[in-house]
Amino acid sequence: MPSRREFIAKCVRGGLLTGLVVLGGTLMLRPRRDDENCKFNFACGSCSLSDSCNQAEAVSLRSTVWQLDPSKCIQCGRCATACVITPSAVKCTHAYVMCGYCDLCGGYFKPETKTLTTAAENQLCPTNALKRKFIEDPFYEYTVDELLCIGCAKCVKGCDAFGNGSLQLQIRHNRCVNCNECSIARVCPSEAFSRVPANKPYLLNGFGTERLANDKTQQEG
Amino acid sequence: MKHKILIIAGLALFFSVVTYIAHDLFSNSSVKYSKSNPYEYDIQHLNKFDSVSVSYNENLAFRPQMLEMHGVATDYSDRIYVAGNKFLEIFTKTGNLLKRIALDGNALCITIDPDKNILLGMEDRIEILDMDGKLKEKWEPVSQSSIITSISSDGKNVFVADAGLTSVYQYDISGKLIGHIGDKDPHRGIPGFVVPSPYFDLGISGINEFWVANPGRHLMEKFDFEGNLIKSWGITSMEIEGFCGCCNPSHFTILKDGSFVTSEKGIERVKIYTSEGKLKCVVALPQSFKEGTRGLDLCVDSKDRIIVLDPVKKMVRVFAPNIDSKNNN
Ligand code: SF4
Ligand code: SF4
Ligand code: SF4
């Protein structure tokens, strides 16, 4: 007849063993990060190649990236919260060529703003990432500080509704880690994300923006 | 007994942690995102004007047979002309199609002059058709960067608004350029036009007053034919009295008594101002339009019905005063 002490010890051992089996199984079965998987250390984020991997395949997978189509974006704000990196790899991009250099910028000011000053309470951007500089009456230049921008799309929505849509969201590929499955794409309500060839990662809307998209690609080499 | 409870509690805790880790690793992350988002920017409240009464009813709407439409005009017998990409369509005042004319390009604006010519702004050039739609004249393109968004004529002069070059041109009826109107000139007290988006309208009233919308400054400006700025009116505001956003009014037209009908983008609304620029009444509020509608070109007929071209619903929409409206007098 086993003693009470032995019974308790058996229970503990049994419990720990079951726990270890569950934990081990969990860790074995979890989706692996691609850089752990990749024989060529590409960390391309595009696959779980395991046994079938060969370099050509890896190279071809690395040659595509995620692209955000601003014409589909409805500025829901999720780009700020769903990215795997913080702050998000999605940033506001300014299509200068389209910008009206407006004094009353719908992307910069909260709609009910009475005085057009740079006071924090007047600004729509929650992180002070959108800057404004006087050029000449009545024109102001707007620039985005990408270190501060969290990709929340408030300015984009304001510019789209009350301006001419020259502020647009883009995935910045100098930050994006090119996840196998972009976690923003999974929650984007407008299916604005798609996989595209890596040499054409940017897509901006409107006249004269193709050059800007090329410039951004070149900047990132 | 005490030990047993502790062990059971420990095991329960252990399994909870393991379950949590497993759930976190395997669950679809989209479930973490509810429909609301802390960064969502809601601008719907700006479209609500609960205390504002609307003095007009929409009593006719019809659909032109073209995918892209930009300009609307009426003639001396209240026929309605709709110009767009590759086509010009002419309707009776009740919306029956009379004629469909193929165009060589994209017509962004249209007017009918007192000599019964159809004048079209074809992106960068002017074309003149007779009333049968036969091409009479094609003027030289202004510039490759031109976006001709409005045209008006008193029979002697033709005024053209070019949003691409932010300029207003004055031509004689033969197409000879006479000069520019409204360019920035501090010595003459002319602030200059600000045109952030391709909406730049002008018009001539029944008593030959020449008006230009200066959208970036939220002003309506009156010039004489020598280019002197006579007066201006307009206030910047999201409220019903003002013009909203970066660039409004996007379009306007002038009623027989000299009052103005204006349309806006951003907050889609059509309003009437007195000839002095005081808000008189409201024709349509944002709920009459699809969110994001822009390019609501306007014209009026001899009965002062207001004709609105809605390029998003792809309809010509005709508004007439409410019979019982107290405001509309
Ligand atoms: S999640 Fe999609 S719709 Fe929302 S802001 Fe990002 S791109 Fe736009
Ligand atoms: S409002 Fe949002 S998207 Fe725009 S600059 Fe600021 S942080 Fe970036
Ligand atoms: S691929 Fe990854 S890093 Fe890039 S935007 Fe999507 S979630 Fe962010």
Side-chain angles (χ1 to χ4, degrees):
Chain A
M1 184 95 178
S3 68
R4 205 167 67 166
R5 189 176 287 269
E6 277 171 350
F7 172 73
I8 292 168
K10 266 187 191 161
C11 281
V12 172
R13 276 200 295 275
L16 283 173
L17 198 65
T18 318
L20 280 172
V21 168
V22 171
L23 188 62
T26 302
L27 290 173
M28 271 171 65
L29 290 172
R30 86 189 153 96
R32 298 184 63 162
R33 279 186 24 233
D34 302 293
D35 49 351
E36 289 173 300
N37 259 337
C38 184
K39 288 182 197 164
F40 305 99
N41 208 16
F42 272 6
C44 69
S46 302
C47 65
S48 300
L49 290 170
S50 62
D51 299 343
S52 64
C53 177
N54 63 53
Q55 192 166 6
E57 205 172 341
V59 168
S60 88
L61 282 165
R62 193 191 191 187
S63 66
T64 62
V65 290
W66 288 101
Q67 184 184 71
L68 191 166
D69 181 349
S71 69
K72 292 185 179 160
C73 170
I74 56 163
Q75 300 100 27
C76 73
R78 289 182 184 166
C79 276
T81 51
C83 184
V84 295
I85 58 174
T86 310
S88 173
V90 173
K91 305 285 175 196
C92 171
T93 300
H94 192 185
Y96 292 100
V97 64
M98 288 170 66
C99 182
Y101 292 77
C102 318
D103 182 8
L104 176 53
C105 170
Y108 185 86
F109 289 110
K110 286 183 184 160
E112 293 90 354
T113 302
K114 294 274 183 280
T115 52
L116 303 185
T117 69
T118 55
E121 68 268 21
N122 291 345
Q123 293 183 36
L124 194 56
C125 177
T127 62
N128 191 26
L130 194 59
K131 311 285 185 198
R132 130 187 183 114
K133 192 171 103 196
F134 178 70
I135 304 291
E136 62 164 36
D137 177 55
F139 300 111
Y140 286 79
E141 184 186 63
Y142 295 88
T143 46
V144 180
D145 182 341
E146 287 199 353
L147 289 176
L148 296 177
C149 177
I150 56 168
C152 73
K154 283 190 166 188
C155 62
V156 179
K157 190 161 187 174
C159 178
D160 198 43
F162 300 114
N164 62 11
S166 57
L167 295 173
Q168 302 176 17
L169 287 187
Q170 287 289 281
I171 300 171
R172 292 295 271 135
H173 292 282
N174 51 356
R175 292 167 202 278
C176 175
V177 295
N178 204 6
C179 309
N180 179 16
E181 197 180 353
C182 172
S183 66
I184 313 177
R186 293 165 81 180
V187 296
C188 174
S190 59
E191 298 184 1
F193 288 74
S194 60
R195 208 85 197 148
V196 298
N199 60 354
K200 289 247 183 263
Y202 292 103
L203 176 68
L204 288 153
N205 245 340
F207 62 88
T209 53
E210 202 169 311
R211 192 161 151 212
L212 182 68
N214 289 338
D215 288 352
K216 286 221 173 291
T217 312
Q218 273 162 21
Q219 273 166 26
E220 287 163 11
Chain B
M1 186 64 189
K2 214 175 176 185
H3 273 133
K4 212 171 171 181
I5 292 168
L6 274 176
I7 287 159
I8 290 168
L11 283 173
L13 187 69
F14 181 75
F15 282 117
S16 323
V17 170
V18 170
T19 314
Y20 176 80
I21 293 170
H23 177 262
D24 193 53
L25 282 169
F26 288 113
S27 68
N28 183 340
S29 65
S30 63
V31 300
K32 290 180 202 164
Y33 293 93
S34 64
K35 281 199 171 138
S36 69
N37 186 293
Y39 293 110
E40 191 177 357
Y41 175 29
D42 184 8
I43 53 173
Q44 278 307 313
H45 67 285
L46 298 169
N47 288 340
K48 294 207 166 64
F49 298 94
D50 294 340
S51 57
V52 173
S53 60
V54 177
S55 308
Y56 274 65
N57 277 335
E58 183 175 352
N59 58 12
L60 175 68
F62 56 91
R63 189 181 290 273
Q65 295 307 303
M66 60 181 99
L67 291 174
E68 216 184 289
M69 54 198 81
H70 303 290
V72 66
T74 48
D75 69 8
Y76 47 90
S77 56
D78 287 345
R79 283 182 292 228
I80 299 168
Y81 295 66
V82 179
N85 195 4
K86 298 212 161 46
F87 295 103
L88 165 66
E89 288 179 357
I90 306 173
F91 298 87
T92 64
K93 62 182 169 199
T94 51
N96 296 317
L97 182 67
L98 291 171
K99 193 173 273 186
R100 187 162 207 252
I101 299 159
L103 300 175
D104 179 20
N106 194 7
L108 299 183
C109 53
I110 179 168
T111 192
I112 314 300
D113 78 2
D115 298 322
K116 301 183 181 172
N117 294 305
I118 304 168
L119 278 63
L120 293 168
M122 304 290 294
E123 288 191 343
D124 64 348
R125 64 176 192 278
I126 308 300
E127 287 187 5
I128 302 180
L129 317 185
D130 65 18
M131 294 312 268
D132 293 322
K134 235 175 82 213
L135 185 67
K136 285 172 76 178
E137 284 175 47
K138 211 182 220 185
W139 296 359
E140 283 296 300
V142 186
S143 146
Q144 275 194 335
S145 318
S146 288
I147 305 171
I148 294 172
T149 50
S150 186
I151 185 165
S152 191
S153 174
D154 65 347
K156 284 192 193 127
N157 302 280
V158 177
F159 295 97
V160 172
D162 182 344
L165 297 180
T166 314
S167 211
V168 168
Y169 315 118
Q170 182 179 14
Y171 293 91
D172 69 16
I173 196 70
S174 71
K176 191 171 146 240
L177 182 67
I178 298 170
H180 289 219
I181 284 188
D183 287 354
K184 186 173 180 174
D185 187 346
H187 300 298
R188 295 169 77 194
I190 301 175
F193 300 122
V194 181
V195 185
S197 56
Y199 301 100
F200 188 24
D201 205 1
L202 53 72
I204 302 173
S205 75
I207 51 166
N208 267 4
E209 287 186 344
F210 174 51
W211 288 86
V212 185
N214 192 344
R217 296 185 192 273
H218 299 123
L219 289 176
M220 292 290 301
E221 296 178 342
K222 177 183 166 187
F223 294 88
D224 64 19
F225 288 180
E226 278 69 54
N228 298 306
L229 177 61
I230 310 298
K231 66 175 177 182
S232 62
W233 62 267
I235 52 166
T236 301
S237 176
M238 294 283 176
E239 301 300 323
I240 196 75
E241 294 76 22
F243 297 127
C244 66
C246 75
C247 29
N248 273 312
S250 66
H251 297 82
F252 74 92
T253 189
I254 305 173
L255 292 162
K256 279 206 294 280
D257 67 356
S259 42
F260 297 88
V261 187
T262 62
S263 70
E264 286 164 84
K265 64 191 182 73
I267 300 176
E268 303 85 4
R269 49 194 184 187
V270 180
K271 300 175 285 184
I272 300 182
Y273 289 85
T274 65
S275 55
E276 298 306 311
K278 206 170 152 281
L279 181 69
K280 192 173 167 186
C281 64
V282 174
V283 177
L285 286 171
Q287 52 265 34
S288 298
F289 303 98
K290 264 198 172 159
E291 194 186 333
T293 297
R294 46 192 70 195
L296 295 169
D297 196 18
L298 303 165
C299 65
V300 287
D301 67 9
S302 64
K303 305 272 180 316
D304 273 353
R305 293 189 313 165
I306 293 167
I307 296 149
V308 180
L309 183 69
D310 185 333
V312 175
K313 289 191 174 169
K314 300 193 193 305
M315 303 283 276
V316 174
R317 304 172 64 184
V318 183
F319 294 79
N322 289 338
I323 293 157
D324 55 358
S325 167
K326 291 187 192 109
N327 295 333
N328 181 38
N329 47 40

Coordinates of all heavy atoms in Angstrom, one line a residue, chain B residues 40-85:
Chain B
E40 N -8.0 55.4 -34.7 CA -9.0 55.7 -35.7 C -9.4 57.1 -35.6 O -9.7 57.6 -34.5 CB -10.2 54.8 -35.6 CG -11.1 54.9 -36.8 CD -12.3 54.0 -36.8 OE1 -12.4 53.2 -35.8 OE2 -13.1 54.1 -37.7
Y41 N -9.4 57.8 -36.7 CA -9.7 59.3 -36.8 C -11.1 59.4 -37.4 O -11.3 59.2 -38.6 CB -8.7 60.0 -37.6 CG -8.9 61.4 -37.9 CD1 -9.6 62.2 -37.0 CD2 -8.4 62.0 -39.1 CE1 -9.8 63.6 -37.3 CE2 -8.6 63.3 -39.3 CZ -9.3 64.1 -38.5 OH -9.5 65.5 -38.7
D42 N -12.1 59.7 -36.5 CA -13.5 59.7 -36.9 C -13.9 61.1 -37.4 O -13.8 62.1 -36.5 CB -14.4 59.2 -35.8 CG -15.8 59.2 -36.2 OD1 -16.1 59.3 -37.4 OD2 -16.7 59.0 -35.3
I43 N -14.2 61.3 -38.6 CA -14.6 62.7 -39.1 C -16.1 62.7 -39.4 O -16.6 63.7 -39.9 CB -13.7 63.1 -40.3 CG1 -13.8 62.1 -41.4 CG2 -12.3 63.4 -39.9 CD1 -13.1 62.6 -42.7
Q44 N -16.8 61.7 -39.0 CA -18.2 61.7 -39.3 C -19.0 62.8 -38.7 O -19.9 63.3 -39.2 CB -18.8 60.3 -38.9 CG -18.6 59.2 -39.9 CD -19.1 59.6 -41.3 OE1 -20.2 60.1 -41.5 NE2 -18.3 59.3 -42.3
H45 N -18.6 63.1 -37.4 CA -19.3 64.1 -36.7 C -19.3 65.5 -37.4 O -20.2 66.3 -37.2 CB -18.8 64.3 -35.2 CG -17.4 64.8 -35.2 ND1 -16.2 64.1 -35.5 CD2 -16.9 66.1 -34.9 CE1 -15.2 64.8 -35.4 NE2 -15.5 66.0 -35.0
L46 N -18.3 65.7 -38.2 CA -18.2 67.0 -39.0 C -19.3 67.1 -40.0 O -19.5 68.2 -40.5 CB -16.8 67.1 -39.6 CG -15.6 67.1 -38.7 CD1 -14.3 67.0 -39.4 CD2 -15.6 68.4 -37.9
N47 N -19.8 66.0 -40.4 CA -20.9 66.0 -41.4 C -22.3 66.1 -40.9 O -23.2 66.0 -41.6 CB -20.8 64.6 -42.2 CG -19.6 64.6 -43.1 OD1 -19.0 65.6 -43.4 ND2 -19.2 63.4 -43.5
K48 N -22.4 66.3 -39.6 CA -23.7 66.4 -39.0 C -24.1 67.8 -38.7 O -23.4 68.6 -38.1 CB -23.7 65.6 -37.7 CG -23.5 64.1 -37.9 CD -24.2 63.3 -36.8 CE -24.3 61.9 -37.2 NZ -23.0 61.2 -37.3
F49 N -25.2 68.2 -39.3 CA -25.7 69.6 -39.1 C -27.2 69.5 -38.7 O -28.1 69.9 -39.5 CB -25.6 70.4 -40.5 CG -24.1 70.5 -40.9 CD1 -23.6 69.7 -41.8 CD2 -23.3 71.6 -40.4 CE1 -22.2 69.8 -42.2 CE2 -22.0 71.7 -40.8 CZ -21.5 70.8 -41.7
D50 N -27.4 69.0 -37.5 CA -28.7 68.7 -37.1 C -29.6 69.9 -37.0 O -30.8 69.8 -37.3 CB -28.7 68.0 -35.7 CG -28.0 66.6 -35.8 OD1 -28.0 66.1 -37.0 OD2 -27.5 66.1 -34.8
S51 N -29.1 71.0 -36.7 CA -29.9 72.2 -36.5 C -30.1 73.0 -37.8 O -30.8 74.0 -37.8 CB -29.3 73.1 -35.4 OG -28.0 73.5 -35.8
V52 N -29.5 72.5 -38.9 CA -29.5 73.2 -40.1 C -30.7 72.7 -41.0 O -30.9 71.5 -41.2 CB -28.2 73.1 -40.9 CG1 -28.3 73.7 -42.3 CG2 -27.1 73.7 -40.1
S53 N -31.6 73.7 -41.4 CA -32.7 73.2 -42.3 C -32.3 73.3 -43.7 O -31.6 74.3 -44.1 CB -33.9 73.9 -41.9 OG -33.7 75.3 -42.2
V54 N -32.8 72.4 -44.5 CA -32.5 72.3 -45.9 C -33.6 72.9 -46.7 O -34.8 72.5 -46.4 CB -32.2 70.9 -46.4 CG1 -31.9 70.8 -47.9 CG2 -31.0 70.3 -45.6
S55 N -33.4 73.9 -47.6 CA -34.5 74.6 -48.2 C -34.8 74.1 -49.6 O -35.7 74.7 -50.3 CB -34.1 76.1 -48.3 OG -33.7 76.5 -47.0
Y56 N -34.1 73.1 -50.0 CA -34.3 72.6 -51.4 C -34.7 71.1 -51.4 O -34.2 70.4 -50.5 CB -33.1 72.8 -52.3 CG -33.1 74.2 -52.9 CD1 -32.9 75.3 -52.1 CD2 -33.2 74.3 -54.3 CE1 -32.9 76.6 -52.7 CE2 -33.1 75.6 -54.9 CZ -33.0 76.7 -54.1 OH -33.0 77.9 -54.6
N57 N -35.4 70.6 -52.3 CA -35.7 69.2 -52.5 C -35.0 68.7 -53.8 O -35.0 69.5 -54.8 CB -37.2 69.0 -52.7 CG -37.9 68.9 -51.4 OD1 -37.3 68.6 -50.4 ND2 -39.2 69.2 -51.4
E58 N -34.6 67.5 -53.8 CA -34.1 67.0 -55.1 C -35.4 66.4 -55.8 O -36.0 65.5 -55.3 CB -33.1 65.8 -54.8 CG -32.5 65.2 -56.1 CD -31.4 64.2 -55.8 OE1 -31.0 64.1 -54.6 OE2 -31.0 63.6 -56.8
N59 N -35.7 67.0 -57.0 CA -36.9 66.5 -57.6 C -36.7 65.9 -59.0 O -37.7 65.5 -59.6 CB -38.0 67.6 -57.6 CG -37.6 68.8 -58.4 OD1 -36.5 68.8 -59.0 ND2 -38.3 69.9 -58.3
L60 N -35.5 65.7 -59.3 CA -35.2 65.0 -60.6 C -33.8 64.5 -60.6 O -32.9 65.2 -60.1 CB -35.4 65.9 -61.8 CG -35.1 65.4 -63.2 CD1 -36.0 64.3 -63.6 CD2 -35.1 66.5 -64.2
A61 N -33.5 63.3 -61.0 CA -32.2 62.8 -61.2 C -32.1 61.9 -62.4 O -33.1 61.1 -62.6 CB -31.7 62.0 -59.9
F62 N -31.1 62.0 -63.1 CA -30.9 61.1 -64.3 C -29.4 60.8 -64.5 O -28.6 61.5 -64.0 CB -31.6 61.7 -65.6 CG -31.1 63.0 -66.0 CD1 -30.0 63.2 -66.9 CD2 -31.7 64.2 -65.5 CE1 -29.6 64.4 -67.3 CE2 -31.3 65.4 -65.9 CZ -30.2 65.5 -66.8
R63 N -29.2 59.7 -65.3 CA -27.9 59.2 -65.4 C -27.3 59.3 -66.8 O -27.8 58.7 -67.7 CB -27.9 57.7 -65.0 CG -26.5 57.1 -64.8 CD -26.7 55.6 -64.5 NE -27.3 55.4 -63.1 CZ -26.5 55.4 -62.0 NH1 -25.2 55.4 -62.1 NH2 -27.1 55.2 -60.8
P64 N -26.3 60.2 -67.0 CA -25.7 60.2 -68.3 C -25.0 58.9 -68.6 O -24.6 58.2 -67.7 CB -24.6 61.3 -68.2 CG -25.1 62.1 -67.0 CD -25.7 61.1 -66.1
Q65 N -24.8 58.6 -69.9 CA -24.2 57.3 -70.3 C -22.7 57.4 -70.5 O -22.2 57.2 -71.5 CB -24.9 56.8 -71.5 CG -26.4 56.5 -71.4 CD -26.6 55.5 -70.2 OE1 -26.1 54.4 -70.2 NE2 -27.4 55.9 -69.3
M66 N -22.0 57.9 -69.4 CA -20.6 58.0 -69.5 C -20.0 57.6 -68.2 O -20.6 57.9 -67.2 CB -20.1 59.3 -70.1 CG -20.5 60.5 -69.2 SD -19.9 62.1 -70.0 CE -21.4 62.6 -70.8
L67 N -18.8 57.1 -68.2 CA -18.2 56.6 -67.0 C -17.6 57.8 -66.2 O -17.6 57.8 -65.0 CB -17.1 55.6 -67.3 CG -17.6 54.3 -67.8 CD1 -16.4 53.4 -68.3 CD2 -18.5 53.6 -66.8
E68 N -17.0 58.8 -66.9 CA -16.3 59.9 -66.2 C -17.0 61.2 -66.7 O -17.0 61.5 -67.9 CB -14.9 59.8 -66.7 CG -13.9 60.2 -65.7 CD -12.5 60.2 -66.3 OE1 -11.9 59.2 -66.6 OE2 -12.0 61.4 -66.5
M69 N -17.6 61.9 -65.7 CA -18.2 63.2 -66.1 C -17.7 64.3 -65.2 O -17.4 64.1 -64.1 CB -19.7 63.0 -66.0 CG -20.2 62.6 -64.6 SD -21.9 61.9 -64.7 CE -21.7 60.3 -65.3
H70 N -17.5 65.5 -65.9 CA -16.8 66.6 -65.1 C -17.6 67.9 -65.1 O -17.5 68.6 -64.2 CB -15.4 66.8 -65.7 CG -14.6 65.6 -65.7 ND1 -14.1 65.1 -64.6 CD2 -14.1 64.8 -66.7 CE1 -13.3 64.0 -64.9 NE2 -13.4 63.8 -66.2
G71 N -18.3 68.2 -66.2 CA -18.9 69.5 -66.3 C -20.3 69.5 -66.7 O -20.8 68.6 -67.5
V72 N -21.1 70.5 -66.2 CA -22.5 70.6 -66.5 C -22.9 72.0 -66.8 O -22.3 72.9 -66.3 CB -23.4 70.0 -65.4 CG1 -23.3 70.8 -64.1 CG2 -24.8 69.8 -65.8
A73 N -23.8 72.2 -67.8 CA -24.2 73.6 -68.2 C -25.6 73.5 -68.7 O -26.1 72.4 -69.1 CB -23.2 74.1 -69.3
T74 N -26.3 74.7 -68.7 CA -27.6 74.8 -69.4 C -27.5 75.8 -70.5 O -26.6 76.7 -70.5 CB -28.7 75.2 -68.3 OG1 -28.2 76.3 -67.6 CG2 -29.0 74.1 -67.4
D75 N -28.5 75.7 -71.4 CA -28.5 76.7 -72.5 C -29.8 77.6 -72.3 O -30.6 77.4 -71.4 CB -28.4 76.1 -73.8 CG -29.6 75.3 -74.3 OD1 -30.6 75.3 -73.5 OD2 -29.5 74.6 -75.3
Y76 N -30.0 78.5 -73.3 CA -31.2 79.4 -73.3 C -32.5 78.7 -73.2 O -33.5 79.3 -72.8 CB -31.1 80.3 -74.6 CG -30.8 79.5 -75.8 CD1 -31.9 79.0 -76.6 CD2 -29.5 79.1 -76.2 CE1 -31.7 78.2 -77.7 CE2 -29.3 78.3 -77.3 CZ -30.4 77.8 -78.0 OH -30.1 77.0 -79.1
S77 N -32.6 77.5 -73.6 CA -33.9 76.8 -73.5 C -33.9 75.7 -72.5 O -34.6 74.7 -72.5 CB -34.4 76.3 -74.9 OG -33.4 75.4 -75.4
D78 N -33.0 75.8 -71.5 CA -32.9 75.0 -70.3 C -32.5 73.5 -70.7 O -32.8 72.6 -69.8 CB -34.2 75.0 -69.5 CG -34.3 76.3 -68.7 OD1 -33.3 77.0 -68.6 OD2 -35.5 76.6 -68.3
R79 N -31.9 73.3 -71.8 CA -31.4 72.0 -72.1 C -30.1 71.8 -71.2 O -29.5 72.8 -70.9 CB -31.0 71.8 -73.5 CG -32.2 71.6 -74.4 CD -31.8 71.4 -75.9 NE -31.2 72.6 -76.4 CZ -31.6 73.2 -77.6 NH1 -32.4 72.5 -78.3 NH2 -31.0 74.3 -78.0
I80 N -29.9 70.6 -70.8 CA -28.8 70.3 -69.9 C -27.7 69.6 -70.6 O -27.9 68.6 -71.3 CB -29.3 69.5 -68.7 CG1 -30.4 70.2 -67.9 CG2 -28.1 69.1 -67.7 CD1 -31.1 69.4 -66.9
Y81 N -26.4 70.1 -70.5 CA -25.3 69.6 -71.2 C -24.4 68.9 -70.2 O -24.0 69.6 -69.2 CB -24.5 70.7 -71.9 CG -25.3 71.3 -73.0 CD1 -26.4 72.1 -72.8 CD2 -24.9 71.2 -74.4 CE1 -27.2 72.7 -73.8 CE2 -25.6 71.8 -75.4 CZ -26.7 72.5 -75.1 OH -27.5 73.1 -76.1
V82 N -23.9 67.7 -70.4 CA -23.0 67.0 -69.5 C -21.7 66.7 -70.3 O -21.8 66.0 -71.4 CB -23.6 65.8 -68.9 CG1 -22.6 65.1 -68.0 CG2 -24.8 66.1 -68.1
A83 N -20.6 67.1 -69.9 CA -19.3 66.9 -70.6 C -18.4 66.0 -69.7 O -18.4 66.1 -68.5 CB -18.6 68.2 -70.9
G84 N -17.7 65.1 -70.4 CA -16.9 64.2 -69.7 C -15.8 63.6 -70.6 O -15.5 64.1 -71.6
N85 N -15.3 62.4 -70.2 CA -14.3 61.8 -70.9 C -14.9 61.2 -72.2 O -15.7 60.3 -72.2 CB -13.6 60.7 -70.1 CG -12.3 60.2 -70.7 OD1 -11.9 60.7 -71.7 ND2 -11.7 59.2 -70.0

